[in-house]
Amino acid sequence: MATTDKASTRDRLLDAAGELFYREGVSLGVETLCRSAGVSKRSMYQLFGSKDEVLAASLARQLPAYEERLAPGPREETGSPRARILHVFERLEKASAGPAYRGCPYLAALVELKDPEHPASAVARGAKEWLLGFFRTQAAEGGAHDPELLARQLMLVFDGASARAGAGIETLDGLTTTTVTALLGASGTR
């Protein structure tokens, strides 16, 4: 029973952290986090050494769902590298249209924390490296003239679009896919 209670407490903390940090930012206080999770501060500190560890664990826990949301699924994997790259931006455009969209949670963590040694920064960098690697692989498979450069350009479009849409100053409907289509054409990606 105690193991189930600890797992449940941990899950409640991570669920609350994921939602609150995304919606309100990483400067959120421990009391607010614990109150939202229905967990005492003592319980939180028994499970995690600090709020920083809760944030890192929350971001790590969300990573598989983040990757699954962006990457083409089994049905889409048969498409061309160009189509797989465009799929990511179609997903971004769709997600950004939702009223609760606040941008990429991993970019937000990196920008807010500004500390490359923070445990959550390491998780967020890993998420960004995964996406960069995905773009690089697809660009190489699609015959891009310079897969590394194209991957970096795609990251700029992705992160810039995520930030602008998350801040509510840009609507992405068709904007990123049009931009990426031009980049793919200029790079020779099929």
Side-chain angles (χ1 to χ4, degrees), residues 12-60:
R12 287 196 325 264
L13 261 171
L14 293 178
D15 289 346
E19 180 182 323
L20 289 171
F21 289 136
Y22 183 67
R23 190 177 67 228
E24 298 180 24
V26 299
S27 62
L28 182 78
V30 170
E31 287 187 24
T32 302
L33 172 61
C34 290
R35 189 176 332 109
S36 179
V39 172
S40 70
K41 286 183 358 183
R42 179 176 178 233
S43 293
M44 186 198 93
Y45 286 116
Q46 287 174 336
L47 292 167
F48 299 97
S50 66
K51 181 184 88 168
D52 294 348
E53 288 183 20
V54 176
L55 174 58
S58 173
L59 288 172

Side-chain angles (χ1 to χ4, degrees), residues 21-22 26 102-114 128:
F21 289 136
Y22 183 67
V26 299
R102 300 286 181 266
C104 172
Y106 299 99
L107 177 63
L110 288 167
V111 169
E112 284 187 69
L113 293 169
K114 296 176 182 36
K128 291 303 177 178

Side-chain angles (χ1 to χ4, degrees), residues 90-123:
E90 290 164 359
R91 290 283 181 102
L92 172 61
E93 288 180 6
K94 183 177 180 181
S96 72
Y101 187 76
R102 300 286 181 266
C104 172
Y106 299 99
L107 177 63
L110 288 167
V111 169
E112 284 187 69
L113 293 169
K114 296 176 182 36
D115 176 6
E117 302 303 316
H118 191 287
S121 291
V123 175

Side-chain angles (χ1 to χ4, degrees), residues 93-94 96-97 170-178:
E93 288 180 6
K94 183 177 180 181
S96 72
E170 190 69 68
T171 301
L172 300 184
D173 188 29
L175 182 60
T176 63
T177 53
T178 301

